[in-house]
Amino acid sequence: MAVVGTEGVILDTLMRYLAGRAFDPEMKVAQPGVAFSPRLNTPYLRAAFLPNGSRADGLAFDSDRTHIGLLVVTVVWPAGQGFVRPYQVAAQVRLAFDAGTRIAGDGLTVAIDEEPQTGAVLDDAPWIGVPVTIRWRVGTSAGA
């Protein structure tokens, strides 16, 4: 089934891109709204998609639009193994979505214009998490 709706296409584009990246160690991706059961003591990535609206690019109501939002990719790591390795993977995520990245989707392009930001460690025993926040932008034509 084809993905429809701007936010749906953006989410699908970002998830396909993330799933296609290679990380060391290799990690599965828990996608938003998709059943996922983590394996004990096996790190993984957890993605959260946060669209933050759109705005008209011109004065007219039928102007082109710019959609903006966040993708938060959290490196989820077993607790008790230190913070260095999860921060190393977070750096890999940041590089995968570095400023200037353009990701082609189904009729649109997701633009990453700012360097992703790595947050502080989140303690959620038996896991820890290191969030990486990625700001995205997509321009669409009027009526799309």
mmCIF file of all heavy atoms in Angstrom, residues 43 67 71 83 127 137-138:
data_model
loop_
_atom_site.group_PDB
_atom_site.id
_atom_site.type_symbol
_atom_site.label_atom_id
_atom_site.label_comp_id
_atom_site.label_asym_id
_atom_site.label_seq_id
_atom_site.Cartn_x
_atom_site.Cartn_y
_atom_site.Cartn_z
ATOM 1 N N PRO A 43 21.773 -3.883 22.608
ATOM 2 C CA PRO A 43 21.431 -2.494 22.327
ATOM 3 C C PRO A 43 20.594 -2.367 21.059
ATOM 4 O O PRO A 43 20.663 -3.218 20.165
ATOM 5 C CB PRO A 43 22.783 -1.805 22.168
ATOM 6 C CG PRO A 43 23.790 -2.874 22.036
ATOM 7 C CD PRO A 43 23.196 -4.152 22.514
ATOM 8 N N HIS A 67 7.063 22.129 5.978
ATOM 9 C CA HIS A 67 6.748 21.276 7.131
ATOM 10 C C HIS A 67 8.028 21.129 7.948
ATOM 11 O O HIS A 67 9.109 20.945 7.380
ATOM 12 C CB HIS A 67 6.262 19.898 6.673
ATOM 13 C CG HIS A 67 5.030 19.973 5.832
ATOM 14 N ND1 HIS A 67 3.787 19.713 6.327
ATOM 15 C CD2 HIS A 67 4.859 20.299 4.532
ATOM 16 C CE1 HIS A 67 2.890 19.864 5.373
ATOM 17 N NE2 HIS A 67 3.518 20.215 4.270
ATOM 18 N N LEU A 71 13.081 14.373 14.626
ATOM 19 C CA LEU A 71 13.225 12.929 14.730
ATOM 20 C C LEU A 71 14.188 12.719 15.885
ATOM 21 O O LEU A 71 15.302 13.249 15.870
ATOM 22 C CB LEU A 71 13.804 12.335 13.443
ATOM 23 C CG LEU A 71 14.109 10.835 13.492
ATOM 24 C CD1 LEU A 71 12.823 10.025 13.613
ATOM 25 C CD2 LEU A 71 14.897 10.413 12.249
ATOM 26 N N PHE A 83 28.939 4.595 29.681
ATOM 27 C CA PHE A 83 28.301 5.517 28.755
ATOM 28 C C PHE A 83 29.089 5.717 27.456
ATOM 29 O O PHE A 83 28.569 6.276 26.499
ATOM 30 C CB PHE A 83 28.112 6.888 29.411
ATOM 31 C CG PHE A 83 27.199 6.895 30.609
ATOM 32 C CD1 PHE A 83 27.194 7.985 31.452
ATOM 33 C CD2 PHE A 83 26.356 5.835 30.896
ATOM 34 C CE1 PHE A 83 26.360 8.025 32.565
ATOM 35 C CE2 PHE A 83 25.518 5.853 31.996
ATOM 36 C CZ PHE A 83 25.518 6.956 32.834
ATOM 37 N N TRP A 127 17.878 -0.323 31.227
ATOM 38 C CA TRP A 127 18.487 0.309 30.070
ATOM 39 C C TRP A 127 18.924 1.726 30.402
ATOM 40 O O TRP A 127 18.438 2.322 31.356
ATOM 41 C CB TRP A 127 17.482 0.392 28.911
ATOM 42 C CG TRP A 127 16.899 -0.912 28.494
ATOM 43 C CD1 TRP A 127 15.711 -1.444 28.898
ATOM 44 C CD2 TRP A 127 17.468 -1.868 27.606
ATOM 45 N NE1 TRP A 127 15.516 -2.660 28.307
ATOM 46 C CE2 TRP A 127 16.567 -2.953 27.498
ATOM 47 C CE3 TRP A 127 18.658 -1.915 26.874
ATOM 48 C CZ2 TRP A 127 16.817 -4.057 26.704
ATOM 49 C CZ3 TRP A 127 18.896 -3.021 26.074
ATOM 50 C CH2 TRP A 127 17.994 -4.073 26.000
ATOM 51 N N ARG A 137 13.189 19.411 7.795
ATOM 52 C CA ARG A 137 12.351 20.370 7.077
ATOM 53 C C ARG A 137 12.004 19.790 5.711
ATOM 54 O O ARG A 137 12.848 19.162 5.073
ATOM 55 C CB ARG A 137 13.130 21.682 6.901
ATOM 56 C CG ARG A 137 12.460 22.736 6.054
ATOM 57 C CD ARG A 137 13.362 23.964 5.894
ATOM 58 N NE ARG A 137 14.642 23.670 5.284
ATOM 59 C CZ ARG A 137 14.849 23.534 3.966
ATOM 60 N NH1 ARG A 137 13.864 23.635 3.109
ATOM 61 N NH2 ARG A 137 16.074 23.302 3.517
ATOM 62 N N VAL A 138 10.750 20.002 5.280
ATOM 63 C CA VAL A 138 10.312 19.525 3.966
ATOM 64 C C VAL A 138 9.477 20.619 3.320
ATOM 65 O O VAL A 138 8.530 21.115 3.926
ATOM 66 C CB VAL A 138 9.471 18.234 4.084
ATOM 67 C CG1 VAL A 138 8.891 17.841 2.742
ATOM 68 C CG2 VAL A 138 10.292 17.093 4.658
#
